[in-house]
Amino acid sequence: MKHIDLVIIGGGPAGMSAAIAAYESGIRNLLILERDTHLGGILQQCIHNGFGLHRFGEELTGPEYAWRYEARVRELGIPYKLGTMVLDITPDKVVTATNSEEGIFQIQAKAVILAMGCRERAKGALNIAGSRPAGIYSAGTAQKYVNLKGYLPGKNVVILGSGDIGLIMARRMTLEGAKVHAVCELMPYSGGLARNIEQCLNDFGIPLRLSHTVVDIHGKERLEGVTIAKVDENRRPIPETREYIPCDTLLLSVGLIPENELSKTASVSLDRITGGASVDQGRCTDVEGIYACGNVLHVHDLVDYVSEEAEIAGKSAAAYIKGETGERINVTLRTDGKIRYTVPQRITQKGDVTVFFRVADVYRNATVKVKNGDAVVLSRKKVKMAPGEMESLTLKASLLEGVSELLFALEVE
Amino acid sequence: MIRELTCIVCPKGCALRVELEGKDVKSVTGHTCPRGQKYAEDECTHPMRTVTSTVRTSTGEVVAVKTATAIPKEKMVACMEAINRAVAQVPVTIGDVVIENVADTGVAVVAAANLEI
Ligand code: SF4
């Protein structure tokens, strides 16, 4: 069996960034395994711009952002295998993979970084009555058709879910000549960024129907239309508000979930809320030497933050391989429910730690309080918070001294 | 007159309030950085957008392109028409000019992805 210090599963923005950081921390015996035929992951189909403002101070398209990292991977000579599917990872870090050239092969790694990204929630997860004719796609699948294959899936479109990919696709299909009749969002607020509502919907006069859902699908072979309806505060459709919209395409943009099938084979414990691994400040899972970063860990709004997180994972995996461990502590981070989750979920090493978190609902004039028992050790006022926007707070090392548990709570005026 | 806008320059999406007198911008509030001020002024006098799309290539594939800088918003449709007629020669490298002076904006449409042979 081949021995490799660090194996990185996934060659998207997280995997590449983690690999570069590990290389720059002195790891030379490393390998990226990528399932697709190219590096860059999902960014290759995200041709809109807005990537890289944080990292590079410029607005890049997805492929341009990915290229910055791919160019660096090539320049450093970091090895990668494309078209390679990982089948299994054991808790002892034996990675089993397959590709058409080598068949099935195994690698004994010292450390593994999970960077498989996320996938879209499936159609099956939707509770829509009626048939399942052709013409129903996830927003990401439609994005792939339009942007990578140059094929427009339909001319008259309804989009269910106002996540960013749905909003981006509303603009994209409009620019390509389709008519987007409505974007329906079950919740009373959008799951996407405000700027995308502005530049993807408002610019083109596409209506955003908040508190609306699709209740019926019409058509036998091919989609002919959908019935939408307003929902009440319990998210139940109100029958009197039913409205028929003829369309040949329904796009679903109803959320993303971390792709953790492989993490499970390695016995990595997952966080119920994020759907990703539960990790420490270095993004180490509860299996020693197995790290996770990017959308496989928790779904990010910005790729810039994915790269940043992946660097943390790359550096700490490198330190682990080199046997460098700092002063150990043990702090568990908990949340009050209004704050849904934190990443990391625990802190095991002394130092300043930036904690990322999301809230459960839209809150105005709220205060984030970090508590040790009854004592508030840190508080931060926020004018507006929304589930669609990831927040962060930095805990100074001095705050963590002698602490075993911190609660992240939200107080709303 | 007061106009409310969402700044689209960065993901923060600040809510901007612009005080207008006729066509003149009197004041902008709500921005957290100077780019928001500039956006508000532009948006109320001559709104600009960057267009991203794909063009056909000489090998029948598609490749991502973008306007090198933002163009006047009302030129977006004309820009898309030009993009839909254009063909890029493979290999394509990021930054290659695919269309010069698109829709008379003085701005080029450039490749935003690589396509190797
Ligand atoms: S005002 Fe500045 S910080 Fe706010 S959205 Fe615009 S560019 Fe971003």
Side-chain angles (χ1 to χ4, degrees):
Chain A
M1 197 179 346
K2 238 190 167 152
H3 287 254
I4 292 178
D5 285 348
L6 176 61
V7 174
I8 297 134
I9 322 281
M16 288 196 287
S17 179
I20 293 165
Y23 186 97
E24 287 171 347
S25 306
I27 303 301
R28 293 291 177 272
N29 183 14
L30 76 176
L31 175 65
I32 302 172
L33 300 177
E34 167 57 45
R35 183 171 61 176
D36 218 325
T37 53
H38 53 77
L39 291 174
I42 202 74
L43 283 178
Q44 299 295 2
Q45 70 183 58
C46 301
I47 64 157
H48 54 283
N49 68 339
F51 302 92
L53 268 168
H54 281 265
R55 302 287 299 182
F56 302 112
E58 343 172 15
E59 278 211 89
L60 303 172
T61 64
E64 288 175 315
Y65 186 96
W67 177 246
R68 299 259 164 133
Y69 286 88
E70 183 174 342
R72 185 81 181 132
V73 164
R74 292 192 190 191
E75 182 188 323
L76 296 174
I78 296 174
Y80 55 86
K81 285 185 200 290
L82 301 175
T84 302
M85 176 104 127
V86 175
L87 304 170
D88 184 73
I89 307 165
T90 69
D92 320 323
K93 296 170 281 284
V94 174
V95 177
T96 307
T98 178
N99 62 31
S100 56
E101 270 164 46
E102 294 160 274
I104 292 184
F105 58 94
Q106 286 193 314
I107 301 166
Q108 173 69 63
K110 284 187 188 150
V112 172
I113 297 179
L114 307 170
M116 294 88 78
C118 59
R119 61 182 153 81
E120 296 182 280
R121 275 184 210 283
K123 295 181 219 177
L126 291 171
N127 260 325
I128 302 178
S131 51
R132 286 288 181 271
I136 307 175
Y137 307 91
S138 73
T141 304
Q143 189 179 43
K144 188 169 171 182
Y145 283 150
V146 179
N147 294 347
L148 296 182
K149 311 238 182 283
Y151 154 77
L152 192 64
K155 281 274 175 196
N156 285 288
V157 186
V158 170
I159 299 176
L160 175 60
S162 63
D164 287 313
I165 313 174
L167 301 177
I168 296 279
M169 283 313 291
R171 172 177 63 182
R172 185 73 190 109
M173 292 191 70
T174 304
L175 282 175
E176 288 295 345
K179 168 115 185 102
V180 179
H181 295 271
V183 174
C184 294
E185 169 59 55
L186 182 68
M187 304 304 284
Y189 51 83
S190 163
L193 295 171
R195 71 190 303 235
N196 285 337
I197 295 183
E198 187 65 27
Q199 61 186 352
C200 298
L201 301 188
N202 298 350
D203 269 8
F204 301 95
I206 300 167
L208 173 61
R209 312 282 299 262
L210 296 174
S211 300
H212 273 75
T213 192
V214 171
V215 290
D216 217 340
I217 287 170
H218 309 273
K220 266 212 178 94
E221 313 256 293
R222 174 84 206 185
L223 184 66
E224 284 165 12
V226 296
T227 302
I228 67 167
K230 197 170 168 38
V231 296
D232 62 20
E233 52 286 4
N234 299 316
R235 294 187 222 161
R236 274 190 308 250
I238 307 167
E240 309 77 83
T241 64
R242 287 167 69 98
E243 183 185 327
Y244 178 76
I245 305 179
C247 62
D248 57 16
T249 306
L250 173 65
L251 298 191
L252 306 172
S253 176
V254 290
L256 301 167
I257 25 177
E259 174 103 63
N260 271 294
E261 274 58 42
L262 278 174
S263 319
K264 288 180 203 157
T265 69
S267 304
V268 165
S269 310
L270 300 184
D271 181 312
R272 218 166 30 84
I273 311 259
T274 59
S278 163
V279 292
D280 69 13
Q281 73 294 330
R283 305 305 188 262
C284 186
T285 68
D286 62 348
V287 179
E288 199 190 297
I290 300 188
Y291 296 76
C293 58
N295 283 349
V296 76
L297 182 55
H298 57 136
V299 176
H300 295 63
D301 335 324
L302 290 187
V303 70
D304 304 63
Y305 296 146
V306 166
S307 302
E308 216 171 288
E309 177 170 84
E311 274 171 20
I312 298 174
K315 278 185 200 153
S316 43
Y320 169 77
I321 292 166
K322 293 191 284 181
E324 301 165 357
T325 45
E327 197 182 323
R328 309 301 286 179
I329 53 172
N330 197 352
V331 184
T332 306
L333 304 183
R334 297 200 185 286
T335 54
D336 68 342
K338 287 198 188 87
I339 293 181
R340 287 189 71 222
Y341 73 81
T342 65
V343 168
Q345 287 87 346
R346 60 184 175 277
I347 299 170
T348 59
Q349 196 173 332
K350 231 174 155 181
D352 296 353
V353 178
T354 300
V355 177
F356 295 88
F357 57 94
R358 272 183 205 278
V359 294
D361 205 340
V362 174
Y363 300 104
R364 280 173 206 284
N365 300 318
T367 308
V368 182
K369 292 193 170 168
V370 183
K371 295 180 182 173
N372 176 17
D374 288 333
V376 177
V377 296
L378 188 66
S379 82
R380 179 80 47 86
K381 260 198 159 17
K382 294 269 177 184
V383 182
K384 192 185 163 214
M385 300 177 93
E389 276 157 52
M390 194 155 77
E391 303 278 348
S392 69
L393 262 185
T394 300
L395 303 175
K396 290 267 168 227
S398 56
L399 262 181
L400 301 168
E401 229 142 305
V403 173
S404 64
E405 187 177 306
L406 288 173
L407 177 73
F408 276 67
L410 196 67
E411 270 170 35
V412 186
E413 279 168 26
Chain B
M1 195 184 81
I2 299 287
R3 207 172 142 192
E4 307 213 340
L5 298 172
T6 303
C7 181
I8 62 168
V9 180
C10 93
K12 235 177 150 169
C14 297
L16 309 177
R17 266 174 79 88
V18 191
E19 200 188 325
L20 289 165
E21 215 177 75
K23 287 207 159 155
D24 297 333
V25 175
K26 288 209 69 189
S27 70
V28 180
T29 50
H31 54 291
T32 355
C33 82
R35 288 178 300 173
Q37 165 115 25
K38 169 141 191 349
Y39 171 77
E41 289 168 5
D42 287 352
E43 189 66 8
C44 293
T45 49
H46 55 284
M48 306 287 282
R49 294 291 184 271
T50 300
V51 175
T52 61
S53 187
T54 54
V55 289
R56 290 273 158 205
T57 65
S58 46
T59 49
E61 293 159 281
V62 291
V63 70
V65 293
K66 66 175 186 182
T67 52
T69 60
I71 61 167
K73 193 174 162 185
E74 74 273 8
K75 296 273 190 170
M76 272 202 291
V77 174
C79 175
M80 275 306 292
E81 282 166 2
I83 286 173
N84 287 339
R85 285 193 303 266
V87 177
Q89 290 303 316
V90 173
V92 180
T93 309
I94 287 175
D96 284 359
V97 173
V98 178
I99 307 171
E100 279 176 64
N101 184 20
V102 69
D104 261 332
T105 55
V107 176
V109 170
V110 296
N114 296 319
L115 197 64
E116 292 163 356
I117 299 181

